[in-house]
Amino acid sequence: MAPLQPAVYVGTFIHCVSLTELEIGKNGAIGVDEKGVIAFVERDVREDALGRLVQEKYAWKDWNLVKWQDEESAAFFFPGFIDTHIHAPQLPNAGIFGKSTLLSWLQTYTFPLESSLSSPPVAQRVYTRIVASTLRNGTTTASYFATTHVSATNILAQICHAKGQRAFVGRCNMDSALHPEYYKDASPAQALRDTQETVDFIQKLDRGAGLVTPILTPRFAPSCTSELLQGLGDMHKATNLPIQTHVSENTAELALVASLFPTHDSYVHVYDAHGLLTPKTVLAHACHLSSAEVKIVKNRGSSVSHCPVSNSYLGSGMCPVRELLEEGVGVGLGTDVSGGWSCSVLVAAREAGGVSRLRTYVEETGARWSAATDDETREREREQMKLSIEECLYLATRGGAGCLGLEKTVGAFEVGMEWDAQVVDLGRLVSVDGEGGGMGGVELWGQEGWEERLAKWVHCGDERNTKAVWVKGRLVSGGMG
């Protein structure tokens, strides 16, 4: 890609400093160089002194000013969202569940839809839509499951590259008897050859730019024979490519895994025994891990993609996010389209908070969390389960970056990180007559500080609040109008 014109972004900047702390910088200025990398961060800059500061302190002479600062509206820059688990071909089914749970939902809705992407025009249509939709919702990085089809998977990678989205793209590996004959890999050997073909294509497409990355994708343990799992583990060992899969989403799934892999101690052990539990592995869901499994995940350095929307709507369970964080397991957020009905990471952050609150009043969860018998101690420990706004936004940005090995690259506004960012506009105050003001579902009345504004954005905001999105310094969605 051609070099960028260096730019200085001016306005209010908000990002997560840690899991529990947000930095809110008013009148900030962030310089982004010709490679899309943050060169400097200045706080409390007077507008009339900006040009002199940039020239004298940083020796920048030719740069663009990007200003998003309006005294009458609440607009701010925020890091781009990171979706650690999304099924790109399933977008047409978003919102469709029937009365199914995970395994019946796959057979009734998912496999027939995914098989239709064997047609390149269908793949082009669906994948163009999903990439545009995620970008429009502020997702600058997405980890995509594709289908078994090599050509369709390559089409997804091409679209991500052309639209400028940072993406991990994985061809689904699935050769077991769980799958219908019309939609499965012919054999372990063929699955591995097809996976290698997509890996080669994506690496040639990206040319080392770090924008689109191949990711090894065993759909989930019941989808794969032991031979295929081992082949993918060997491929990871040879290439160090990242891995994505599912684990412990649904209790019926746990029973199925136990029946298919009777010599293994647990679901997690299946992956571990085949060389697929590594520091570059992202495990989606993890609703029903045992304490022993959590320790294995932590010891292997693997991460968890929390998918609260699909977990709720498919009736799968509730991920014990607080316990995972306390154990030192990295956690990010996944939209899990189409088990999740929205491709918005903001919705996932909202639901993560809601599910964490619901967990506090589920009796068996409370018993697992604490053996305390007095009400005061139990109530205090239940309160600790709740995820704050700061924590939900951390999972949506820096948490996801850590899951995907991008913690030094994106997720915050720090010197040396790349400019993956979005402008969020919450609109103007509700007018005196009550008719005007607001933006999307967010209404501001004048008494809200920045903490309250952020809470309203998380709970009431949507894509209408996302006005512009950049990846590696390039504008990829929206604009300055």
Side-chain angles (χ1 to χ4, degrees), residues 270-285:
V270 173
Y271 292 132
D272 195 31
H274 291 92
L276 292 168
L277 204 63
T278 78
K280 302 193 78 170
T281 301
V282 180
L283 302 164
H285 302 291

Side-chain angles (χ1 to χ4, degrees), residues 44-360:
D44 297 317
V45 178
R46 294 199 329 267
E47 188 172 347
D48 60 359
L50 177 64
R52 185 174 180 181
L53 180 147
V54 172
Q55 183 171 351
E56 294 184 358
K57 187 172 181 178
Y58 299 104
W60 281 20
K61 296 181 179 179
D62 189 15
W63 49 275
N64 292 329
L65 174 66
V66 183
K67 180 182 177 183
W68 206 294
Q69 199 167 24
D70 184 344
E71 294 297 331
E72 296 186 20
S73 70
F76 57 96
F77 292 91
F78 193 78
F81 289 135
I82 298 172
D83 191 342
T84 56
H85 185 74
I86 177 170
H87 293 265
Q90 294 180 21
L91 181 63
N93 275 355
I96 300 174
F97 310 100
K99 295 182 179 180
S100 58
T101 53
L102 175 64
L103 298 179
S104 61
W105 172 79
L106 288 171
Q107 299 289 347
T108 304
Y109 299 106
T110 302
F111 296 155
L113 173 62
E114 289 191 6
S115 69
S116 72
L117 273 78
S118 61
S119 166
V122 174
Q124 185 75 33
R125 181 188 185 204
V126 172
Y127 289 154
T128 296
R129 187 70 168 190
I130 189 67
V131 175
S133 296
T134 52
L135 285 172
R136 191 168 60 246
N137 278 278
T139 299
T140 50
T141 300
S143 190
Y144 289 116
F145 279 60
T147 63
T148 60
H149 313 107
V150 172
S151 61
T153 302
N154 292 346
I155 287 170
L156 175 57
Q158 288 175 311
I159 291 170
C160 293
H161 189 268
K163 289 187 175 293
Q165 186 175 53
R166 193 185 301 272
F168 294 78
V169 176
R171 191 198 78 87
C172 267
N173 287 267
M174 33 197 265
D175 71 329
S176 77
L178 174 71
H179 298 277
E181 288 299 321
Y182 68 83
Y183 185 51
K184 64 185 293 190
D185 288 314
S187 67
Q190 186 61 53
L192 295 170
R193 285 194 295 269
D194 287 350
T195 293
Q196 188 62 58
E197 187 175 343
T198 62
V199 167
D200 293 343
F201 179 89
I202 294 169
Q203 290 179 332
K204 183 177 180 180
L205 174 73
D206 187 68
R207 297 181 179 179
L211 187 66
V212 183
T213 302
I215 184 167
L216 302 179
T217 306
R219 188 179 196 112
F220 67 150
S223 287
C224 302
T225 60
S226 183
E227 183 180 351
L228 178 53
L229 290 174
Q230 189 60 58
L232 291 169
D234 292 343
M235 189 177 291
H236 166 77
K237 186 176 181 180
T239 63
N240 200 35
L241 286 172
I243 301 165
Q244 61 181 354
T245 190
H246 302 76
V247 73
S248 297
E249 181 176 356
N250 170 285
T251 53
E253 172 198 8
L254 299 184
L256 179 60
V257 170
S259 69
L260 293 172
F261 299 92
T263 63
H264 295 277
D265 297 335
S266 66
Y267 199 157
V268 163
H269 184 248
V270 173
Y271 292 132
D272 195 31
H274 291 92
L276 292 168
L277 204 63
T278 78
K280 302 193 78 170
T281 301
V282 180
L283 302 164
H285 302 291
C287 295
H288 306 285
L289 295 180
S290 67
S291 57
E293 288 179 297
V294 171
K295 291 186 183 301
I296 295 172
V297 172
K298 175 189 175 182
N299 290 340
R300 299 297 181 268
S302 301
S303 301
V304 167
S305 174
H306 177 35
C307 305
V309 181
S310 65
N311 291 343
S312 296
Y313 279 80
L314 288 176
S316 298
M318 294 182 286
C319 178
V321 175
R322 178 64 68 200
E323 291 91 321
L324 292 174
L325 293 172
E326 292 289 347
E327 283 290 331
V329 175
V331 180
L333 292 179
T335 59
D336 195 25
V337 170
S338 66
W341 48 261
S342 172
C343 67
S344 167
V345 177
L346 186 65
V347 169
R350 177 183 308 152
E351 294 299 313
V355 168
S356 75
R357 289 171 174 269
L358 180 61
R359 287 190 67 232
T360 66

